[in-house]
Amino acid sequence: QLQLQESGPGLVKPSETLSLTCTVSGGSVSSSRYYWGWIRQPPGKGLEWIGTISYSGSTYYNSSLKSRVTISVDTSRKQFSLKLSSVTAADTAVYYCARALSLGATAIDYWGQGTLVTVSS
Amino acid sequence: QSALTQPASVSGSPGQSITISCTGTSSDVGGYNYVSWYQQHPGKAPKLMIYDVSNRPSGVSNRFSGSKSGTTASLTISGLQAEDEADYYCSSYTSSSTPLVFGTGTKVTVL
């Protein structure tokens, strides 16, 4: 059974960079059939897609975040990562890593449990 | 890219059927058969219930079905059960610079 687990700091200061890693177990990030991505959900609000990456490193980002987002993949460690720079309080959210069936994330079939990241000084 | 429009809440009694709508435009819901639906219980990660408008992933109850007409997609839950009480989100591929957009979310209450 595929499992995804987010890890990283739960508190980030304004203007700094948020960094999260997702570790995949029970499967491989090297498959060409699947894509790996990040979605976030501010407390009490809806879902927002951040971006997706393929095993070969092709990426697709939310245009509203594109200037601040970097998603990378490390197939040897079975991990992929999210970096979001120049964070503000508006970036406070539960961040989910996930597996998608396309680069455009048209269907997201496996999700991590989510990790709350708070932006505050 | 604006979020897809869903009703804030829908309710029904056990055993009844309910339908949740997801309204977009010709650039998203109306233009592609890439609508998905997710169920989210409080404090939990979303779960994929329907993809590509009407396909159910393995393990999802056949009480859940999806359809689309024009720029509106729908999720129908038949034989409503207490465990169906959750938030539901639709999503769609879009032709905009951001290829995926989620709906505003619908809270389903089982009376």
Side-chain angles (χ1 to χ4, degrees):
Chain A
Q1 177 76 349
L2 187 75
Q3 292 187 320
L4 296 89
Q5 179 67 57
E6 305 90 351
S7 59
L11 180 64
V12 181
K13 290 182 168 56
S15 80
E16 295 189 343
T17 296
L18 178 161
S19 295
L20 296 174
T21 296
C22 183
T23 301
V24 178
S25 59
S28 171
V29 298
S30 301
S31 170
S32 60
R33 290 184 58 191
Y34 303 112
Y35 301 83
W36 310 94
W38 294 91
I39 300 97
R40 69 180 183 178
Q41 185 172 34
K45 297 188 177 181
L47 300 166
E48 180 180 34
W49 174 74
I50 299 171
T52 313
I53 190 168
S54 72
Y55 78 101
S56 61
S58 297
T59 53
Y60 216 164
Y61 297 137
N62 184 321
S63 60
S64 67
L65 300 171
K66 188 174 183 178
S67 63
R68 300 193 291 130
V69 171
T70 302
I71 296 176
S72 58
V73 63
D74 186 336
T75 55
S76 64
R77 294 188 174 187
K78 300 179 73 173
Q79 295 178 332
F80 59 102
S81 299
L82 168 70
K83 290 188 185 300
L84 181 66
S85 64
S86 304
V87 298
T88 69
D91 295 310
T92 293
V94 174
Y95 286 75
Y96 294 100
C97 64
R99 187 181 84 171
L101 302 185
S102 70
L103 194 58
T106 52
I108 303 166
D109 62 349
Y110 280 92
W111 299 66
Q113 65 183 23
T115 186
L116 175 63
V117 178
T118 302
V119 178
S120 175
S121 55
Chain B
Q1 177 66 39
S2 299
L4 305 174
T5 301
Q6 298 180 233
S9 63
V10 173
S11 62
S13 299
Q16 286 186 331
S17 292
I18 62 169
T19 296
I20 304 167
S21 62
C22 171
T23 301
T25 69
S26 58
S27 296
D28 39 64
V29 175
Y32 307 92
N33 289 324
Y34 292 129
V35 176
S36 294
W37 289 91
Y38 300 89
Q39 176 192 65
Q40 186 179 34
H41 288 108
K44 300 295 186 182
K47 175 186 177 182
L48 180 65
M49 306 301 285
I50 296 288
Y51 67 98
D52 294 352
V53 176
S54 59
N55 293 311
R56 263 190 319 275
S58 174
V60 171
S61 170
N62 59 10
R63 297 186 298 104
F64 292 84
S65 62
S67 63
K68 189 185 83 167
S69 178
T71 58
T72 298
S74 299
L75 174 71
T76 297
I77 309 174
S78 58
L80 198 62
Q81 299 180 359
E83 66 206 49
D84 301 331
E85 188 162 290
D87 292 327
Y88 290 82
Y89 293 91
C90 63
S91 72
S92 174
Y93 179 81
T94 90
S95 59
S96 75
S97 55
T98 296
L100 185 76
V101 62
F102 283 100
T104 51
T106 298
K107 181 176 180 58
V108 168
T109 301
V110 181
L111 302 172

PDB file of all heavy atoms in Angstrom, chain A residues 9-20 40-43 68 82 84-95 115-121:
ATOM      1  N   PRO A   9       9.529  21.767   9.163  1.00  0.00           N
ATOM      2  CA  PRO A   9       9.181  22.667  10.279  1.00  0.00           C
ATOM      3  C   PRO A   9       7.712  23.035  10.276  1.00  0.00           C
ATOM      4  O   PRO A   9       7.118  23.268   9.216  1.00  0.00           O
ATOM      5  CB  PRO A   9      10.056  23.906  10.012  1.00  0.00           C
ATOM      6  CG  PRO A   9      11.129  23.444   9.106  1.00  0.00           C
ATOM      7  CD  PRO A   9      10.540  22.349   8.275  1.00  0.00           C
ATOM      8  N   GLY A  10       7.135  23.116  11.473  1.00  0.00           N
ATOM      9  CA  GLY A  10       5.744  23.505  11.596  1.00  0.00           C
ATOM     10  C   GLY A  10       5.577  25.011  11.772  1.00  0.00           C
ATOM     11  O   GLY A  10       4.449  25.508  11.721  1.00  0.00           O
ATOM     12  N   LEU A  11       6.685  25.701  11.954  1.00  0.00           N
ATOM     13  CA  LEU A  11       6.640  27.147  12.162  1.00  0.00           C
ATOM     14  C   LEU A  11       7.727  27.803  11.320  1.00  0.00           C
ATOM     15  O   LEU A  11       8.885  27.396  11.375  1.00  0.00           O
ATOM     16  CB  LEU A  11       6.847  27.482  13.641  1.00  0.00           C
ATOM     17  CG  LEU A  11       6.822  28.959  14.025  1.00  0.00           C
ATOM     18  CD1 LEU A  11       5.440  29.551  13.761  1.00  0.00           C
ATOM     19  CD2 LEU A  11       7.202  29.133  15.492  1.00  0.00           C
ATOM     20  N   VAL A  12       7.332  28.762  10.528  1.00  0.00           N
ATOM     21  CA  VAL A  12       8.268  29.484   9.661  1.00  0.00           C
ATOM     22  C   VAL A  12       8.047  30.978   9.859  1.00  0.00           C
ATOM     23  O   VAL A  12       6.901  31.429   9.964  1.00  0.00           O
ATOM     24  CB  VAL A  12       8.050  29.113   8.172  1.00  0.00           C
ATOM     25  CG1 VAL A  12       9.051  29.853   7.282  1.00  0.00           C
ATOM     26  CG2 VAL A  12       8.177  27.609   7.972  1.00  0.00           C
ATOM     27  N   LYS A  13       9.123  31.723   9.890  1.00  0.00           N
ATOM     28  CA  LYS A  13       9.013  33.171  10.078  1.00  0.00           C
ATOM     29  C   LYS A  13       8.671  33.861   8.765  1.00  0.00           C
ATOM     30  O   LYS A  13       9.063  33.405   7.679  1.00  0.00           O
ATOM     31  CB  LYS A  13      10.320  33.732  10.630  1.00  0.00           C
ATOM     32  CG  LYS A  13      10.633  33.352  12.063  1.00  0.00           C
ATOM     33  CD  LYS A  13      11.912  33.997  12.542  1.00  0.00           C
ATOM     34  CE  LYS A  13      12.094  33.878  14.040  1.00  0.00           C
ATOM     35  NZ  LYS A  13      12.055  32.478  14.494  1.00  0.00           N
ATOM     36  N   PRO A  14       7.938  34.966   8.850  1.00  0.00           N
ATOM     37  CA  PRO A  14       7.624  35.735   7.640  1.00  0.00           C
ATOM     38  C   PRO A  14       8.899  36.112   6.894  1.00  0.00           C
ATOM     39  O   PRO A  14       9.931  36.410   7.511  1.00  0.00           O
ATOM     40  CB  PRO A  14       6.918  36.973   8.194  1.00  0.00           C
ATOM     41  CG  PRO A  14       6.323  36.517   9.485  1.00  0.00           C
ATOM     42  CD  PRO A  14       7.298  35.539  10.045  1.00  0.00           C
ATOM     43  N   SER A  15       8.809  36.079   5.570  1.00  0.00           N
ATOM     44  CA  SER A  15       9.878  36.398   4.616  1.00  0.00           C
ATOM     45  C   SER A  15      10.874  35.242   4.438  1.00  0.00           C
ATOM     46  O   SER A  15      11.712  35.306   3.527  1.00  0.00           O
ATOM     47  CB  SER A  15      10.646  37.666   5.005  1.00  0.00           C
ATOM     48  OG  SER A  15      11.604  37.425   6.013  1.00  0.00           O
ATOM     49  N   GLU A  16      10.781  34.217   5.271  1.00  0.00           N
ATOM     50  CA  GLU A  16      11.696  33.086   5.120  1.00  0.00           C
ATOM     51  C   GLU A  16      11.131  32.061   4.127  1.00  0.00           C
ATOM     52  O   GLU A  16      10.085  32.270   3.524  1.00  0.00           O
ATOM     53  CB  GLU A  16      11.980  32.464   6.476  1.00  0.00           C
ATOM     54  CG  GLU A  16      12.729  33.419   7.404  1.00  0.00           C
ATOM     55  CD  GLU A  16      13.219  32.753   8.672  1.00  0.00           C
ATOM     56  OE1 GLU A  16      12.736  31.654   9.009  1.00  0.00           O
ATOM     57  OE2 GLU A  16      14.087  33.342   9.349  1.00  0.00           O
ATOM     58  N   THR A  17      11.872  30.969   3.962  1.00  0.00           N
ATOM     59  CA  THR A  17      11.470  29.932   3.007  1.00  0.00           C
ATOM     60  C   THR A  17      10.916  28.710   3.722  1.00  0.00           C
ATOM     61  O   THR A  17      11.542  28.171   4.629  1.00  0.00           O
ATOM     62  CB  THR A  17      12.667  29.512   2.131  1.00  0.00           C
ATOM     63  OG1 THR A  17      13.081  30.638   1.339  1.00  0.00           O
ATOM     64  CG2 THR A  17      12.294  28.364   1.206  1.00  0.00           C
ATOM     65  N   LEU A  18       9.747  28.309   3.308  1.00  0.00           N
ATOM     66  CA  LEU A  18       9.102  27.095   3.814  1.00  0.00           C
ATOM     67  C   LEU A  18       9.672  25.910   3.040  1.00  0.00           C
ATOM     68  O   LEU A  18       9.710  25.941   1.795  1.00  0.00           O
ATOM     69  CB  LEU A  18       7.595  27.219   3.590  1.00  0.00           C
ATOM     70  CG  LEU A  18       6.621  26.114   3.967  1.00  0.00           C
ATOM     71  CD1 LEU A  18       5.198  26.704   4.070  1.00  0.00           C
ATOM     72  CD2 LEU A  18       6.616  24.969   2.970  1.00  0.00           C
ATOM     73  N   SER A  19      10.117  24.887   3.768  1.00  0.00           N
ATOM     74  CA  SER A  19      10.682  23.701   3.120  1.00  0.00           C
ATOM     75  C   SER A  19      10.031  22.443   3.689  1.00  0.00           C
ATOM     76  O   SER A  19      10.058  22.233   4.904  1.00  0.00           O
ATOM     77  CB  SER A  19      12.196  23.633   3.336  1.00  0.00           C
ATOM     78  OG  SER A  19      12.857  24.711   2.709  1.00  0.00           O
ATOM     79  N   LEU A  20       9.464  21.641   2.821  1.00  0.00           N
ATOM     80  CA  LEU A  20       8.839  20.384   3.217  1.00  0.00           C
ATOM     81  C   LEU A  20       9.336  19.257   2.327  1.00  0.00           C
ATOM     82  O   LEU A  20       9.636  19.471   1.155  1.00  0.00           O
ATOM     83  CB  LEU A  20       7.314  20.474   3.119  1.00  0.00           C
ATOM     84  CG  LEU A  20       6.607  21.455   4.041  1.00  0.00           C
ATOM     85  CD1 LEU A  20       5.123  21.516   3.699  1.00  0.00           C
ATOM     86  CD2 LEU A  20       6.787  21.058   5.497  1.00  0.00           C
ATOM     87  N   ARG A  40      -2.347  22.581  -0.732  1.00  0.00           N
ATOM     88  CA  ARG A  40      -2.452  23.159   0.605  1.00  0.00           C
ATOM     89  C   ARG A  40      -3.881  23.583   0.917  1.00  0.00           C
ATOM     90  O   ARG A  40      -4.702  23.761   0.004  1.00  0.00           O
ATOM     91  CB  ARG A  40      -1.503  24.346   0.769  1.00  0.00           C
ATOM     92  CG  ARG A  40      -1.868  25.583  -0.032  1.00  0.00           C
ATOM     93  CD  ARG A  40      -0.848  26.689   0.212  1.00  0.00           C
ATOM     94  NE  ARG A  40      -1.194  27.929  -0.476  1.00  0.00           N
ATOM     95  CZ  ARG A  40      -0.478  29.047  -0.396  1.00  0.00           C
ATOM     96  NH1 ARG A  40       0.632  29.070   0.340  1.00  0.00           N
ATOM     97  NH2 ARG A  40      -0.866  30.126  -1.042  1.00  0.00           N
ATOM     98  N   GLN A  41      -4.155  23.735   2.210  1.00  0.00           N
ATOM     99  CA  GLN A  41      -5.495  24.084   2.664  1.00  0.00           C
ATOM    100  C   GLN A  41      -5.378  24.985   3.889  1.00  0.00           C
ATOM    101  O   GLN A  41      -5.080  24.510   4.986  1.00  0.00           O
ATOM    102  CB  GLN A  41      -6.283  22.813   3.012  1.00  0.00           C
ATOM    103  CG  GLN A  41      -7.721  23.051   3.385  1.00  0.00           C
ATOM    104  CD  GLN A  41      -8.496  21.748   3.528  1.00  0.00           C
ATOM    105  OE1 GLN A  41      -7.968  20.726   3.958  1.00  0.00           O
ATOM    106  NE2 GLN A  41      -9.768  21.778   3.156  1.00  0.00           N
ATOM    107  N   PRO A  42      -5.627  26.274   3.716  1.00  0.00           N
ATOM    108  CA  PRO A  42      -5.622  27.175   4.883  1.00  0.00           C
ATOM    109  C   PRO A  42      -6.672  26.724   5.885  1.00  0.00           C
ATOM    110  O   PRO A  42      -7.696  26.138   5.496  1.00  0.00           O
ATOM    111  CB  PRO A  42      -5.975  28.531   4.275  1.00  0.00           C
ATOM    112  CG  PRO A  42      -5.587  28.421   2.839  1.00  0.00           C
ATOM    113  CD  PRO A  42      -5.874  26.993   2.474  1.00  0.00           C
ATOM    114  N   PRO A  43      -6.448  26.981   7.154  1.00  0.00           N
ATOM    115  CA  PRO A  43      -7.401  26.539   8.183  1.00  0.00           C
ATOM    116  C   PRO A  43      -8.826  26.995   7.873  1.00  0.00           C
ATOM    117  O   PRO A  43      -9.082  28.183   7.656  1.00  0.00           O
ATOM    118  CB  PRO A  43      -6.863  27.204   9.455  1.00  0.00           C
ATOM    119  CG  PRO A  43      -5.404  27.353   9.209  1.00  0.00           C
ATOM    120  CD  PRO A  43      -5.275  27.636   7.752  1.00  0.00           C
ATOM    121  N   ARG A  68       7.484  31.878  -6.490  1.00  0.00           N
ATOM    122  CA  ARG A  68       8.012  31.558  -5.165  1.00  0.00           C
ATOM    123  C   ARG A  68       8.195  30.058  -4.917  1.00  0.00           C
ATOM    124  O   ARG A  68       8.718  29.674  -3.881  1.00  0.00           O
ATOM    125  CB  ARG A  68       7.069  32.109  -4.085  1.00  0.00           C
ATOM    126  CG  ARG A  68       6.877  33.616  -4.112  1.00  0.00           C
ATOM    127  CD  ARG A  68       6.208  34.109  -2.839  1.00  0.00           C
ATOM    128  NE  ARG A  68       4.819  33.691  -2.712  1.00  0.00           N
ATOM    129  CZ  ARG A  68       4.309  33.125  -1.631  1.00  0.00           C
ATOM    130  NH1 ARG A  68       5.066  32.870  -0.582  1.00  0.00           N
ATOM    131  NH2 ARG A  68       3.018  32.807  -1.582  1.00  0.00           N
ATOM    132  N   LEU A  82       9.199  20.464  -1.452  1.00  0.00           N
ATOM    133  CA  LEU A  82       8.565  21.744  -1.760  1.00  0.00           C
ATOM    134  C   LEU A  82       9.350  22.853  -1.076  1.00  0.00           C
ATOM    135  O   LEU A  82       9.692  22.743   0.107  1.00  0.00           O
ATOM    136  CB  LEU A  82       7.122  21.762  -1.242  1.00  0.00           C
ATOM    137  CG  LEU A  82       6.419  23.128  -1.230  1.00  0.00           C
ATOM    138  CD1 LEU A  82       6.123  23.586  -2.655  1.00  0.00           C
ATOM    139  CD2 LEU A  82       5.138  23.057  -0.398  1.00  0.00           C
ATOM    140  N   LEU A  84       8.899  27.063  -0.698  1.00  0.00           N
ATOM    141  CA  LEU A  84       8.073  28.243  -0.948  1.00  0.00           C
ATOM    142  C   LEU A  84       8.764  29.426  -0.268  1.00  0.00           C
ATOM    143  O   LEU A  84       8.889  29.451   0.950  1.00  0.00           O
ATOM    144  CB  LEU A  84       6.664  28.039  -0.389  1.00  0.00           C
ATOM    145  CG  LEU A  84       5.674  29.188  -0.602  1.00  0.00           C
ATOM    146  CD1 LEU A  84       5.377  29.365  -2.090  1.00  0.00           C
ATOM    147  CD2 LEU A  84       4.384  28.922   0.170  1.00  0.00           C
ATOM    148  N   SER A  85       9.203  30.359  -1.076  1.00  0.00           N
ATOM    149  CA  SER A  85      10.001  31.464  -0.544  1.00  0.00           C
ATOM    150  C   SER A  85       9.139  32.660  -0.159  1.00  0.00           C
ATOM    151  O   SER A  85       7.970  32.760  -0.522  1.00  0.00           O
ATOM    152  CB  SER A  85      11.037  31.894  -1.588  1.00  0.00           C
ATOM    153  OG  SER A  85      10.385  32.402  -2.740  1.00  0.00           O
ATOM    154  N   SER A  86       9.746  33.560   0.597  1.00  0.00           N
ATOM    155  CA  SER A  86       9.115  34.837   0.977  1.00  0.00           C
ATOM    156  C   SER A  86       7.706  34.644   1.524  1.00  0.00           C
ATOM    157  O   SER A  86       6.749  35.273   1.071  1.00  0.00           O
ATOM    158  CB  SER A  86       9.085  35.783  -0.235  1.00  0.00           C
ATOM    159  OG  SER A  86      10.364  35.976  -0.768  1.00  0.00           O
ATOM    160  N   VAL A  87       7.577  33.764   2.496  1.00  0.00           N
ATOM    161  CA  VAL A  87       6.248  33.428   3.013  1.00  0.00           C
ATOM    162  C   VAL A  87       5.671  34.565   3.847  1.00  0.00           C
ATOM    163  O   VAL A  87       6.386  35.377   4.437  1.00  0.00           O
ATOM    164  CB  VAL A  87       6.269  32.131   3.833  1.00  0.00           C
ATOM    165  CG1 VAL A  87       6.685  30.955   2.956  1.00  0.00           C
ATOM    166  CG2 VAL A  87       7.180  32.256   5.047  1.00  0.00           C
ATOM    167  N   THR A  88       4.347  34.609   3.859  1.00  0.00           N
ATOM    168  CA  THR A  88       3.593  35.535   4.693  1.00  0.00           C
ATOM    169  C   THR A  88       2.548  34.736   5.458  1.00  0.00           C
ATOM    170  O   THR A  88       2.404  33.522   5.249  1.00  0.00           O
ATOM    171  CB  THR A  88       2.892  36.607   3.854  1.00  0.00           C
ATOM    172  OG1 THR A  88       1.839  35.999   3.108  1.00  0.00           O
ATOM    173  CG2 THR A  88       3.856  37.299   2.899  1.00  0.00           C
ATOM    174  N   ALA A  89       1.786  35.426   6.294  1.00  0.00           N
ATOM    175  CA  ALA A  89       0.749  34.746   7.061  1.00  0.00           C
ATOM    176  C   ALA A  89      -0.255  34.050   6.149  1.00  0.00           C
ATOM    177  O   ALA A  89      -0.864  33.053   6.539  1.00  0.00           O
ATOM    178  CB  ALA A  89       0.044  35.757   7.969  1.00  0.00           C
ATOM    179  N   ALA A  90      -0.430  34.551   4.948  1.00  0.00           N
ATOM    180  CA  ALA A  90      -1.368  33.944   3.996  1.00  0.00           C
ATOM    181  C   ALA A  90      -0.934  32.557   3.548  1.00  0.00           C
ATOM    182  O   ALA A  90      -1.721  31.814   2.963  1.00  0.00           O
ATOM    183  CB  ALA A  90      -1.534  34.850   2.782  1.00  0.00           C
ATOM    184  N   ASP A  91       0.308  32.210   3.815  1.00  0.00           N
ATOM    185  CA  ASP A  91       0.799  30.873   3.441  1.00  0.00           C
ATOM    186  C   ASP A  91       0.595  29.861   4.565  1.00  0.00           C
ATOM    187  O   ASP A  91       0.950  28.689   4.416  1.00  0.00           O
ATOM    188  CB  ASP A  91       2.283  30.949   3.077  1.00  0.00           C
ATOM    189  CG  ASP A  91       2.533  31.779   1.828  1.00  0.00           C
ATOM    190  OD1 ASP A  91       1.852  31.525   0.814  1.00  0.00           O
ATOM    191  OD2 ASP A  91       3.390  32.676   1.867  1.00  0.00           O
ATOM    192  N   THR A  92       0.017  30.286   5.680  1.00  0.00           N
ATOM    193  CA  THR A  92      -0.310  29.362   6.760  1.00  0.00           C
ATOM    194  C   THR A  92      -1.383  28.392   6.282  1.00  0.00           C
ATOM    195  O   THR A  92      -2.444  28.810   5.818  1.00  0.00           O
ATOM    196  CB  THR A  92      -0.819  30.125   7.999  1.00  0.00           C
ATOM    197  OG1 THR A  92       0.248  30.900   8.536  1.00  0.00           O
ATOM    198  CG2 THR A  92      -1.338  29.160   9.063  1.00  0.00           C
ATOM    199  N   ALA A  93      -1.080  27.111   6.368  1.00  0.00           N
ATOM    200  CA  ALA A  93      -2.003  26.107   5.832  1.00  0.00           C
ATOM    201  C   ALA A  93      -1.545  24.707   6.227  1.00  0.00           C
ATOM    202  O   ALA A  93      -0.419  24.511   6.683  1.00  0.00           O
ATOM    203  CB  ALA A  93      -2.059  26.197   4.301  1.00  0.00           C
ATOM    204  N   VAL A  94      -2.436  23.751   6.025  1.00  0.00           N
ATOM    205  CA  VAL A  94      -2.044  22.350   6.046  1.00  0.00           C
ATOM    206  C   VAL A  94      -1.530  22.023   4.644  1.00  0.00           C
ATOM    207  O   VAL A  94      -2.219  22.284   3.657  1.00  0.00           O
ATOM    208  CB  VAL A  94      -3.228  21.436   6.408  1.00  0.00           C
ATOM    209  CG1 VAL A  94      -2.810  19.964   6.271  1.00  0.00           C
ATOM    210  CG2 VAL A  94      -3.711  21.722   7.822  1.00  0.00           C
ATOM    211  N   TYR A  95      -0.336  21.511   4.575  1.00  0.00           N
ATOM    212  CA  TYR A  95       0.280  21.160   3.305  1.00  0.00           C
ATOM    213  C   TYR A  95       0.237  19.641   3.130  1.00  0.00           C
ATOM    214  O   TYR A  95       0.693  18.900   3.994  1.00  0.00           O
ATOM    215  CB  TYR A  95       1.721  21.659   3.245  1.00  0.00           C
ATOM    216  CG  TYR A  95       1.808  23.159   3.039  1.00  0.00           C
ATOM    217  CD1 TYR A  95       1.535  24.046   4.082  1.00  0.00           C
ATOM    218  CD2 TYR A  95       2.114  23.700   1.789  1.00  0.00           C
ATOM    219  CE1 TYR A  95       1.581  25.420   3.899  1.00  0.00           C
ATOM    220  CE2 TYR A  95       2.167  25.073   1.588  1.00  0.00           C
ATOM    221  CZ  TYR A  95       1.898  25.929   2.652  1.00  0.00           C
ATOM    222  OH  TYR A  95       1.938  27.291   2.440  1.00  0.00           O
ATOM    223  N   THR A 115       0.503  18.290   6.895  1.00  0.00           N
ATOM    224  CA  THR A 115       1.269  18.893   7.975  1.00  0.00           C
ATOM    225  C   THR A 115       0.945  20.381   8.035  1.00  0.00           C
ATOM    226  O   THR A 115       0.943  21.064   7.010  1.00  0.00           O
ATOM    227  CB  THR A 115       2.779  18.668   7.793  1.00  0.00           C
ATOM    228  OG1 THR A 115       3.479  19.147   8.945  1.00  0.00           O
ATOM    229  CG2 THR A 115       3.341  19.378   6.564  1.00  0.00           C
ATOM    230  N   LEU A 116       0.637  20.847   9.221  1.00  0.00           N
ATOM    231  CA  LEU A 116       0.294  22.260   9.403  1.00  0.00           C
ATOM    232  C   LEU A 116       1.568  23.090   9.475  1.00  0.00           C
ATOM    233  O   LEU A 116       2.443  22.821  10.295  1.00  0.00           O
ATOM    234  CB  LEU A 116      -0.527  22.451  10.669  1.00  0.00           C
ATOM    235  CG  LEU A 116      -0.847  23.916  11.050  1.00  0.00           C
ATOM    236  CD1 LEU A 116      -1.705  24.571   9.968  1.00  0.00           C
ATOM    237  CD2 LEU A 116      -1.525  23.976  12.404  1.00  0.00           C
ATOM    238  N   VAL A 117       1.639  24.090   8.625  1.00  0.00           N
ATOM    239  CA  VAL A 117       2.742  25.041   8.663  1.00  0.00           C
ATOM    240  C   VAL A 117       2.177  26.409   9.000  1.00  0.00           C
ATOM    241  O   VAL A 117       1.289  26.910   8.301  1.00  0.00           O
ATOM    242  CB  VAL A 117       3.501  25.095   7.326  1.00  0.00           C
ATOM    243  CG1 VAL A 117       4.611  26.140   7.402  1.00  0.00           C
ATOM    244  CG2 VAL A 117       4.069  23.725   6.985  1.00  0.00           C
ATOM    245  N   THR A 118       2.667  26.976  10.057  1.00  0.00           N
ATOM    246  CA  THR A 118       2.228  28.293  10.504  1.00  0.00           C
ATOM    247  C   THR A 118       3.324  29.307  10.209  1.00  0.00           C
ATOM    248  O   THR A 118       4.498  29.065  10.534  1.00  0.00           O
ATOM    249  CB  THR A 118       1.916  28.286  12.004  1.00  0.00           C
ATOM    250  OG1 THR A 118       0.901  27.312  12.269  1.00  0.00           O
ATOM    251  CG2 THR A 118       1.438  29.654  12.474  1.00  0.00           C
ATOM    252  N   VAL A 119       2.930  30.410   9.606  1.00  0.00           N
ATOM    253  CA  VAL A 119       3.886  31.491   9.352  1.00  0.00           C
ATOM    254  C   VAL A 119       3.654  32.577  10.389  1.00  0.00           C
ATOM    255  O   VAL A 119       2.596  33.215  10.416  1.00  0.00           O
ATOM    256  CB  VAL A 119       3.723  32.065   7.933  1.00  0.00           C
ATOM    257  CG1 VAL A 119       4.708  33.219   7.717  1.00  0.00           C
ATOM    258  CG2 VAL A 119       3.946  30.970   6.900  1.00  0.00           C
ATOM    259  N   SER A 120       4.632  32.734  11.244  1.00  0.00           N
ATOM    260  CA  SER A 120       4.501  33.712  12.329  1.00  0.00           C
ATOM    261  C   SER A 120       5.876  34.022  12.897  1.00  0.00           C
ATOM    262  O   SER A 120       6.757  33.158  12.908  1.00  0.00           O
ATOM    263  CB  SER A 120       3.596  33.165  13.424  1.00  0.00           C
ATOM    264  OG  SER A 120       3.556  34.049  14.536  1.00  0.00           O
ATOM    265  N   SER A 121       6.020  35.231  13.365  1.00  0.00           N
ATOM    266  CA  SER A 121       7.289  35.624  13.979  1.00  0.00           C
ATOM    267  C   SER A 121       7.295  35.267  15.455  1.00  0.00           C
ATOM    268  O   SER A 121       8.310  35.440  16.132  1.00  0.00           O
ATOM    269  CB  SER A 121       7.517  37.120  13.800  1.00  0.00           C
ATOM    270  OG  SER A 121       6.422  37.848  14.304  1.00  0.00           O
TER     271      SER A 121
END
